[in-house]
Amino acid sequence: MLKPVSQQSLDTARGQWLIFSRDKLVVRQNQRQLPQGGFDDIDCLRAYHADVYELKDLQGDSLPQSTFIVDMGAEEPEGEHWELASLRHMLMQAPDTAFAVAGRAWQYVHFFRTHRYCGQCGDRTQRVDWEMAVQCQRCQHRSYPRVSPCIIVAVHDGERLLLARGVRHRELNMYSTLAGFVESGESLEQAVHREIFEEVGVSVTDLEYFGSQPWPFPHSLMVGYIARYAGGDIVPEEGEIDDAQWFWPDALPKTPPTLSIAGQLIAATVKKIQGK
């Protein structure tokens, strides 16, 4: 949850600063590190003294120091010693705890940016002090941060893994597990079967729940499964999948890091195939 920091408290507020500009993070030039210290140590925040929030109630994801959030919106930081860094790039290089905290912060920022007006009557909303929500004072409609469930699946045939390279990862030449959003009225298991058939044209069986991971691009919850191949020839979905192949565990292509649930699924499936 985000708690506003009063002007008086700013004088003693010290810790790590997550400053969002558009969809990027503000970092010190040539360091690629988040700003540390007090409010007065970060000159680009002078105009935002009334817009500082502290991240609270992290339920085990807390960092060893206070974390403050500032949203600059479409503005960019002034000064040559600041630059903007991709949120995805920064998060993929961060430790697990930092990934969780920064990812949660971005989802809150994105929520407030996209819920300034009531979706029911169009009037301006106000933030609710006691929970993460906004409310319309005209019609009393209340909105909460959106979470979009996605399934992500590692498919194997007992000896090999079925991995795919998405159109967006063509230049990186990175292969990964299959994934997709859960549709309205659909169970997680139904989404697994539908997405795999749509993306690569095969059917699966023996679904095994693996785990889940919040994924802040922009507000997904990845639900992981391991599934066994049941039949069908690989037919990549046009416009979505650039290539899909079977890979032997000792000859895998470039895959996501194990910080992501995709990387964890691949590692766990390799162990499963090898009987470890």
Side-chain angles (χ1 to χ4, degrees), residues 1-4 126-133:
M1 197 155 165
L2 296 185
K3 294 287 187 181
Q126 295 181 355
R127 296 188 183 187
V128 177
D129 292 337
W130 59 91
E131 62 179 343
M132 183 54 60

Side-chain angles (χ1 to χ4, degrees), residues 96-258:
D96 290 354
T97 52
F99 179 96
V101 171
R104 187 184 302 233
W106 167 244
Q107 290 181 74
Y108 289 162
V109 167
H110 186 271
F111 167 65
F112 287 127
R113 285 185 184 180
T114 55
H115 287 78
R116 293 171 180 164
Y117 297 92
C118 176
Q120 184 163 276
C121 75
D123 202 20
R124 195 166 185 90
T125 60
Q126 295 181 355
R127 296 188 183 187
V128 177
D129 292 337
W130 59 91
E131 62 179 343
M132 183 54 60
V134 296
Q135 183 161 327
C136 173
Q137 298 306 308
R138 176 191 288 176
C139 71
Q140 303 304 308
H141 177 66
R142 186 174 295 187
S143 298
Y144 296 88
R146 174 182 173 185
V147 177
S148 301
C150 299
I151 52 88
I152 182 166
V153 192
V155 179
H156 71 95
D157 65 357
E159 296 182 326
R160 302 167 298 173
L161 283 84
L162 174 55
L163 300 176
R165 184 178 64 206
V167 172
R168 291 178 300 173
H169 292 151
R170 182 182 299 159
E171 293 184 3
L172 293 175
N173 196 30
M174 179 181 290
Y175 285 75
S176 187
T177 48
L178 300 169
F181 287 101
V182 180
E183 295 184 354
S184 299
E186 188 175 49
S187 71
L188 295 171
E189 291 75 18
Q190 288 172 329
V192 167
H193 291 285
R194 175 185 55 78
E195 279 290 344
I196 291 175
F197 187 78
E198 287 179 356
E199 292 194 345
V200 293
V202 305
S203 59
V204 294
T205 188
D206 298 339
L207 273 60
E208 177 184 342
Y209 174 72
F210 174 78
S212 63
Q213 181 183 49
W215 194 247
F217 302 105
H219 41 60
S220 300
L221 175 64
M222 309 300 293
V223 183
Y225 287 89
I226 297 175
R228 178 179 283 272
Y229 168 74
D233 297 326
I234 296 176
V235 181
E237 183 180 9
E238 186 175 355
E240 289 287 335
I241 304 299
D242 186 57
D243 183 44
Q245 301 180 37
W246 290 105
F247 292 93
W248 296 96
D250 59 354
L252 294 180
K254 181 180 180 182
T255 57
T258 54

